């Protein structure tokens, strides 16, 4: 029988990887996969990361920008936060704007000093790739046709193509960190998974602009014509979004139309106009909410976008991916150090508790700030009244700020995971507090 942990005992040359077995095979070199590999390596656990795209493509994919305090702390504590601390910008508040007026949510004041950091996702990726390769870690880029096998039995393995050769790698565990369109989740039989999905009736048109910042803090704006968001990447590059039809085409949006629409949605005075800059990137994203349950199938563990998608209004996707792999890494470390699988068994429940809390927060922000074409006047009034209540209530602002900056890791956000854990305790309740959140 194979004993988890004897990865080094079977190694062969002349493959995409120099070995035939590893402890953890990680599919996907996004934030989830790379961070998991990094956390495991720090604990002396071996992994191989498989990525279907090239290193250059992975490092150039433009996506998220907002890092929660929790994510920032983890990057710093594990030695990959140095460039982020130098180049990222810390924001202690955000603005919610509606009816042409701004209302500041004082994130740090409301959360005991916590804040967000603006630092692009592809920079996080670059830092993690450099850390893994610098430490001798294995990331196989450009792998094709990857499939995962026998994760319901005790001998899982992955099969993949490098150039024109088919290779296999045996492992103890597989981490499916291959994003929403990846192969891992789809490999689980339909009957073994439940998927919850809501496709929102709008998209975000995103642009990158060469210009100095438009505001000191992010602006989330609600307008009758639709939502818009002012964000930033650096002193010279700004990130702006506006709500659009998800089926729209970027070609329908010449620069003049984008500026005019942003001016209309964001203005607080009749003559207000954003300073223009060169728009060098345009794209449309469909808004989607998605969760698969459970997040574990035998020795296959899903993490990040492979298991859940949130609309970006709450800026949670990357942060949830990092939170998942922290829980998973801790559980794997426990497995390899003490031999106990208890934490691996609880991985799905613990991760899902945070995921559903983030889904609810992202939905709250999305529903409060977007235009819904099918809303009747009463529903429009309700939406406005809710925004006004947030603007007027310190309690509601605190709730928003706590979720936005992110709860500390290890804090189970709802009773769901705790109940799931307690259910497994002996009937007399003995030891029911043995696994505190
Ligand atoms: P990723 O980043 O999609 O990485 C998955 C990787 O797996 C590879 N892959 C495969 N590799 C091998 N074999 C296969 N069969 C494979 N199939 C796929 C892919 O090439 C890819 O490299 O998932 P991960 O690691 O879970 O990370 C999730 C985040 O990328 C995502 O949640 C965020 O970008 C979401 N998001 C935001 N999150 C935040 O926390 N803060 C934000 O401010 C924020 N803003 C955003 C966002 C997402 C956006 N879009 C584009 C949806 C803004 C936008 C516009
Ligand atoms: C971004 O800067 O890309 C960004 C900021 C805030 C969000 C989503 C995306 O809620």
């Amino acid at each position: 029988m194979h004993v988890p942990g004897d990865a080094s005992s079977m190694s062969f040359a002349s493959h995409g990887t120099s070995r035939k077995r590893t402890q953890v095979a990680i599919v996907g070199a996004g934030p989830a996969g790379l961070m998991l590999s990094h956390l495991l390596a720090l604990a002396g656990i071996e992994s191989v990361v498989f990525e279907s795209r090239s290193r250059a493509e992975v490092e150039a994919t433009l996506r998220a920008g907002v890092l929660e305090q929790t994510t920032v702390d983890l990057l710093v504590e594990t030695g990959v936060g140095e460039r982020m601390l130098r180049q990222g910008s810390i924001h202690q508040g955000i603005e919610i704007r509606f009816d042409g007026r701004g209302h500041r949510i004082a994130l740090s004041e409301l959360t005991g000093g916590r804040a967000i950091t603006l630092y692009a996702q592809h920079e996080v990726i670059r830092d993690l790739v450099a850390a893994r390769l610098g430490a001798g870690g294995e990331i196989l880029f450009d792998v094709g046709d990857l499939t995962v096998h026998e994760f319901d039995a005790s001998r899982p393995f992955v099969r993949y193509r490098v150039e024109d050769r088919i290779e296999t790698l045996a492992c103890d565990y597989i981490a499916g960190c291959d994003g929403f369109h990846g192969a891992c989740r789809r490999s689980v039989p339909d009957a073994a998974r439940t998927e919850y999905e809501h496709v929102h009736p709008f998209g975000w048109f995103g642009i990158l602009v060469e210009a100095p910042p438009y505001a000191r803090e992010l602006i989330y704006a609600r307008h009758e014509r639709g939502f818009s968001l002012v964000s930033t990447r650096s002193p010279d590059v700004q990130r702006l979004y506006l709500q659009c039809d998800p089926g729209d085409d970027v070609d329908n949006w010449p620069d003049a139309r984008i500026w005019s629409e942003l001016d209309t949605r964001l203005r607080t005075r009749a003559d207000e106009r954003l300073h223009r800059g060169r728009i060098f990137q345009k794209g449309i994203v469909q808004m989607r909410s998605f969760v698969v349950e459970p997040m574990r199938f035998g020795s296959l563990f899903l993490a990040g976008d492979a298991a859940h998608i949130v609309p970006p209004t709450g800026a949670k996707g990357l942060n949830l991916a990092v939170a998942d792999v922290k829980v998973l890494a801790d559980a794997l470390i426990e497995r390899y150090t003490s031999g106990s699988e208890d934490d691996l068994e609880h991985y799905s429940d613990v991760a899902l508790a945070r995921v559903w809390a983030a889904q609810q927060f992202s939905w709250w922000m999305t529903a409060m700030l977007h235009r819904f074409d099918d809303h009747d006047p009463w529903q429009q009034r309700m939406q406005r009244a809710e925004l006004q209540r947030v603007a007027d209530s310190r309690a509601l602002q605190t709730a928003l700020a706590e979720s936005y900056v992110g709860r500390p890791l290890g804090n189970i956000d709802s009773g769901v995971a705790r109940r799931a854990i307690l259910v497994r305790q002996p009937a007399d309740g003995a030891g029911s507090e043995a696994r505190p959140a």
Side-chain angles (χ1 to χ4, degrees):
M1 196 183 111
H2 166 63
V3 181
D6 67 348
S8 58
S9 62
M10 297 170 70
S11 115
F12 298 84
S14 82
H15 288 274
T17 171
S18 58
R19 67 186 94 251
K20 259 251 157 165
R21 162 170 287 285
T22 190
Q23 289 177 303
V24 184
I26 299 175
V27 188
L34 291 168
M35 190 66 193
L36 177 62
S37 174
H38 176 60
L39 292 170
L40 294 177
L42 292 177
I45 298 169
E46 199 176 74
S47 66
V48 175
V49 180
F50 296 90
E51 170 57 51
S52 54
R53 296 182 298 156
S54 68
R55 178 176 178 183
E57 273 180 276
V58 168
E59 292 189 342
T61 304
L62 299 168
R63 291 183 94 176
V66 174
L67 305 185
E68 291 178 352
Q69 185 70 56
T70 313
T71 303
V72 167
D73 292 346
L74 189 64
L75 293 172
V76 172
E77 280 160 22
T78 61
V80 283
E82 195 261 332
R83 220 161 55 92
M84 175 195 64
L85 289 178
R86 258 188 302 120
Q87 295 178 12
S89 69
I90 298 173
H91 289 207
Q92 297 187 318
I94 55 169
E95 180 182 318
I96 302 284
R97 189 174 286 188
F98 60 98
D99 293 344
R101 295 228 322 270
H103 306 265
R104 183 168 190 262
I105 311 288
L107 298 175
S108 299
E109 200 188 303
L110 294 164
T111 60
R114 293 166 74 73
I116 52 158
T117 295
L118 270 286
Y119 186 64
Q121 175 167 330
H122 65 275
E123 303 292 357
V124 176
I125 299 265
R126 281 180 203 172
D127 295 340
L128 286 168
V129 168
R132 286 308 298 125
L133 297 181
E138 271 190 276
I139 306 173
L140 299 185
F141 292 100
D142 299 303
V143 301
D145 305 332
L146 185 137
T147 46
V148 292
H149 301 270
E150 296 193 26
F151 48 84
D152 53 347
S154 60
R155 289 183 168 267
F157 65 95
V158 298
R159 179 177 288 137
Y160 58 100
R161 182 173 47 74
V162 201
E163 292 163 357
D164 52 4
R165 298 188 315 276
I166 302 295
E167 312 282 2
T168 59
L169 182 74
C171 54
D172 301 331
Y173 301 104
I174 300 171
C177 303
D178 49 350
F180 181 67
H181 300 287
C184 291
R185 185 182 70 250
R186 290 164 216 277
S187 308
V188 177
D190 288 355
R193 59 185 153 109
T194 306
E195 296 186 347
Y196 302 86
E197 183 167 33
H198 184 76
V199 180
H200 304 279
F202 36 74
W204 276 17
F205 191 101
I207 57 169
L208 282 168
V209 192
E210 262 170 31
Y214 291 100
R216 283 183 42 247
E217 295 175 339
L218 269 56
I219 303 171
Y220 288 80
R222 189 241 170 227
H223 188 274
E224 306 74 83
R225 293 184 61 83
F227 169 75
S228 57
L229 169 61
V230 176
S231 182
T232 183
R233 283 294 177 274
S234 72
D236 311 311
V237 174
Q238 311 313 316
R239 183 75 162 136
L240 302 169
Y241 297 96
L242 50 86
Q243 176 183 349
C244 66
D245 182 328
D248 210 342
D249 193 317
V250 286
D251 292 340
N252 295 330
W253 287 85
D255 294 7
R257 180 178 175 206
I258 296 172
W259 289 120
S260 152
E261 196 61 40
L262 285 167
D263 280 344
T264 305
R265 295 187 192 187
L266 285 162
R267 77 168 43 104
T268 53
R269 291 188 322 271
D271 59 345
E272 202 171 13
R273 190 170 176 270
L274 297 171
H275 50 261
R276 296 343 191 197
R278 188 176 73 86
I279 299 176
F280 63 94
Q281 206 253 347
K282 299 178 184 176
I284 292 178
V285 201
Q286 163 81 61
M287 298 289 101
R288 184 192 301 275
S289 300
F290 173 86
V291 180
V292 66
E293 289 187 350
M295 287 169 61
R296 175 198 182 168
F297 307 91
S299 45
L300 170 66
F301 295 83
L302 299 178
D305 279 14
H308 41 74
I309 296 283
V310 281
T313 331
K316 285 283 155 266
L318 179 155
N319 295 295
L320 269 185
V322 169
D324 285 353
V325 299
K326 173 70 172 120
V327 175
L328 180 55
D330 285 350
L332 287 166
I333 292 165
E334 181 66 19
R335 170 72 188 96
Y336 283 109
T337 49
S338 77
S340 164
E341 288 221 5
D342 284 0
D343 288 356
L344 284 176
E345 270 173 29
H346 295 139
Y347 165 71
S348 181
D349 295 330
V350 171
L352 281 167
R354 195 179 185 90
V355 167
W356 280 114
Q359 288 287 353
Q360 197 282 329
F361 173 67
S362 303
W363 167 240
W364 181 42
M365 292 285 281
T366 302
M368 196 160 58
L369 289 158
H370 285 72
R371 173 199 159 93
F372 289 78
D373 288 341
D374 62 347
H375 270 189
D376 59 28
W378 186 85
Q379 287 168 307
Q380 287 165 14
R381 287 287 174 183
M382 286 298 101
Q383 189 187 42
R384 209 198 144 278
E386 183 163 31
L387 281 163
Q388 193 61 53
R389 275 185 3 109
V390 171
D392 293 341
S393 158
R394 189 178 168 89
L396 287 177
Q397 288 177 20
T398 306
L400 193 158
E402 279 176 354
S403 294
Y404 194 79
V405 299
R407 309 272 166 96
L409 285 165
N411 171 10
I412 295 184
D413 291 308
S414 74
V416 177
R418 181 180 288 276
R419 277 197 301 281
I421 290 165
L422 294 182
V423 160
R424 295 201 179 87
Q425 302 298 324
D428 64 0
S432 63
E433 287 306 312
R435 298 186 42 78

